[in-house]
Coordinates of all heavy atoms in Angstrom, one line a residue:
P764 N 118.8 102.7 131.5 CA 119.2 103.2 130.2 C 120.4 102.6 129.6 O 120.5 102.4 128.4 CB 119.3 104.7 130.4 CG 118.6 105.0 131.7 CD 118.6 103.8 132.5
G802 N 110.1 106.0 131.4 CA 109.2 106.9 132.3 C 109.9 108.1 132.8 O 111.2 108.1 132.9
E803 N 109.2 109.0 133.3 CA 109.7 110.2 133.8 C 110.2 110.0 135.2 O 110.9 110.9 135.8 CB 108.7 111.3 133.8 CG 108.1 111.6 132.4 CD 109.2 112.0 131.4 OE1 110.1 112.7 131.8 OE2 109.1 111.5 130.3
K804 N 109.9 108.9 135.8 CA 110.4 108.6 137.2 C 111.8 108.2 137.2 O 112.4 108.1 138.3 CB 109.6 107.4 137.8 CG 108.1 107.7 137.9 CD 107.4 106.5 138.5 CE 106.1 106.3 137.8 NZ 105.5 105.0 138.0
A805 N 112.4 107.9 136.1 CA 113.8 107.5 136.0 C 114.7 108.6 136.5 O 114.4 109.8 136.5 CB 114.2 107.1 134.6
S806 N 115.9 108.2 137.0 CA 116.8 109.1 137.7 C 117.6 109.9 136.6 O 118.2 110.9 137.0 CB 117.8 108.4 138.6 OG 118.5 107.4 137.8
T807 N 117.6 109.5 135.4 CA 118.3 110.3 134.4 C 117.4 111.2 133.6 O 116.2 110.9 133.5 CB 119.0 109.3 133.4 OG1 117.9 108.5 132.8 CG2 120.0 108.4 134.0
S808 N 118.0 112.3 133.2 CA 117.2 113.3 132.4 C 117.1 112.8 131.0 O 117.8 111.9 130.5 CB 117.9 114.7 132.5 OG 119.0 114.7 131.7
I809 N 116.3 113.5 130.2 CA 116.1 113.2 128.8 C 117.4 113.4 128.0 O 117.7 112.7 127.1 CB 114.9 113.9 128.2 CG1 114.5 113.4 126.8 CG2 115.1 115.4 128.1 CD1 114.0 112.0 126.8
E811 N 120.5 113.1 129.1 CA 121.4 112.0 129.4 C 121.0 110.8 128.5 O 121.9 110.1 128.0 CB 121.4 111.6 130.8 CG 122.1 112.7 131.7 CD 121.9 112.4 133.2 OE1 121.3 111.4 133.5 OE2 122.4 113.3 134.0
K812 N 119.7 110.5 128.4 CA 119.3 109.4 127.5 C 119.6 109.7 126.1 O 120.0 108.8 125.3 CB 117.8 109.2 127.7 CG 117.4 108.8 129.1 CD 115.9 108.8 129.2 CE 115.5 108.6 130.6 NZ 114.0 108.7 130.8

Side-chain angles (χ1 to χ4, degrees):
E803 303 304 321
K804 299 178 221 169
S806 61
T807 57
S808 73
I809 190 67
E811 291 173 0
K812 295 173 192 172

